[in-house]
Amino acid sequence: MRNWLYNQTVILSGASSGIGKELVKRLVCVYGAKVIGIARNEEKLLALKNELGERAASFSYHTFDVTDKTAWQDLRKTLEMENVRPILLINNAGVFPPLNRVAALSDAAFLKTLETNFLSVVHAVEVISPILLGTDKSKPAIVNVCSSAALCTLAGTAAYSASKSALKAYSEALQLEEKGKKYVGIVYPGTTATELFRADQNVQGSAMQKIAMSAEKMAKKIAKRILKRKKRSVIGFDAKLMSFAARLMPKTGPAIICKVMKSSKSKAFTDVFDYHK
């Protein structure tokens, strides 16, 4: 397996924590890539740079909100001025709203989720794709980190599933249009123990927490599939189960999973189901 990432520049959004942070560490320390991280929290980005030790020089960062198209345009101008031509764009930034019923979702929460999980990717691809430069080992590449929620919608995830489903369709269209010109990969991670996931107090101690894969392990699996140029990667037992259920039983599969969720009486689903009925 040829390491086409060695000494190449990668742009990675959502780099300050969770899967993104672990991807930075793996890309820099294992594959020898140079990573430009995008996130809003500079303190966390600095801490990550320090964690890299002697490889810290291979990591740089820019702090901005990924939903801001102008910020992406400013990044491109900076890269062009510095004559930096990345080979890979990884769109990993995302938000995971607390599990709740559709009726409880505010317009603001829905819009924030859609902007962060979907529209930010549209902006990034539009602005950065033209400056991606391939090598004799690989075509230029784009990898969008989607979610198993795009494969099988779950109760309580309306905003999240909608945003990730939009990202799935967009990414699939991109694959068709860029065939032969760019490698476009779509990653569907299952439940992962990230800060976004842990922020929901109802999840703590629940069955969801028990099946969650560590961010480090998830990043390792994602990086390996990127190196192999996998177009579609479904990662995690729950993700594979959701994909299988939705494909084999598109109507009843999600309904069965919903019944299992409700019958578990897990506190993770307290705001989704009325356990007294």
Side-chain angles (χ1 to χ4, degrees):
M1 182 166 55
R2 300 176 70 185
N3 180 11
W4 56 274
L5 293 172
Y6 180 75
N7 206 32
Q8 296 299 315
T9 300
V10 178
I11 297 177
L12 170 65
S13 69
S16 63
S17 61
I19 294 173
K21 177 182 177 179
E22 296 301 327
L23 272 174
V24 170
K25 291 157 69 173
R26 191 143 196 94
L27 291 170
V28 169
C29 299
V30 177
Y31 297 124
K34 293 177 284 188
V35 179
I36 300 171
I38 309 299
R40 291 179 297 177
N41 192 314
E42 186 169 14
E43 184 178 349
K44 289 183 178 180
L45 290 167
L46 277 171
L48 173 55
K49 190 173 181 68
N50 291 331
E51 276 188 56
L52 295 172
E54 60 183 20
R55 300 304 302 273
S58 294
F59 177 65
S60 59
Y61 61 81
H62 291 261
T63 55
F64 62 82
D65 188 330
V66 293
T67 65
D68 185 353
K69 184 176 180 179
T70 301
W72 283 107
Q73 292 170 332
D74 290 341
L75 172 63
R76 173 172 169 172
K77 290 176 184 177
T78 299
L79 296 177
E80 289 177 326
M81 283 174 37
E82 296 175 352
N83 197 31
V84 175
R85 297 293 298 273
I87 193 173
L88 169 63
L89 167 67
I90 304 178
N91 291 301
N92 166 74
V95 293
F96 182 77
L99 297 167
N100 214 326
R101 299 175 65 85
V102 171
L105 292 172
S106 66
D107 290 347
F110 218 114
L111 185 60
K112 178 185 177 182
T113 305
L114 192 63
E115 288 179 336
T116 305
N117 293 351
F118 173 55
L119 292 179
S120 68
V121 178
V122 177
H123 298 329
V125 170
E126 179 185 343
V127 175
I128 301 299
S129 181
I131 66 169
L132 295 176
L133 182 66
T135 67
D136 59 341
K137 292 184 178 181
S138 176
K139 298 180 179 70
I142 298 170
V143 173
N144 294 334
V145 180
C146 197
S147 169
S148 56
L151 303 173
C152 180
T153 303
L154 301 179
T157 68
Y160 185 74
S161 291
S163 65
K164 291 298 187 177
S165 295
L167 178 57
K168 174 181 180 289
Y170 172 82
S171 301
E172 289 173 341
L174 194 63
Q175 283 182 330
L176 294 170
E177 295 170 13
E178 294 290 349
K179 185 177 181 180
K181 295 178 287 185
K182 290 183 177 69
Y183 153 56
V184 178
I186 314 173
V187 181
Y188 300 95
T191 308
T192 310
T194 66
E195 289 185 15
L196 293 176
F197 180 72
R198 290 190 293 267
D200 189 345
Q201 294 300 313
N202 284 337
V203 172
Q204 303 309 308
S206 70
M208 287 185 70
Q209 186 180 39
K210 293 177 182 178
I211 66 170
M213 186 181 293
S214 70
E216 181 180 5
K217 185 175 181 179
M218 183 63 74
K220 181 179 179 180
K221 289 180 176 291
I222 291 174
K224 186 175 181 179
R225 283 160 175 75
I226 291 175
L227 201 65
K228 292 182 178 180
R229 300 184 185 88
K230 294 289 186 180
K231 292 184 177 180
R232 184 179 188 272
S233 300
V234 180
I235 306 175
F237 170 78
D238 58 324
K240 292 177 181 178
L241 180 62
M242 290 165 66
S243 177
F244 176 78
R247 292 170 69 180
L248 186 66
M249 304 174 289
K251 291 184 178 180
T252 59
I256 291 173
I257 293 176
C258 185
K259 287 183 179 179
V260 172
M261 290 166 59
K262 186 173 183 179
S263 64
S264 73
K265 297 189 181 299
S266 169
K267 65 178 182 179
F269 311 125
T270 299
D271 296 327
V272 181
F273 303 114
D274 185 348
Y275 291 135
H276 299 292
K277 289 185 179 180

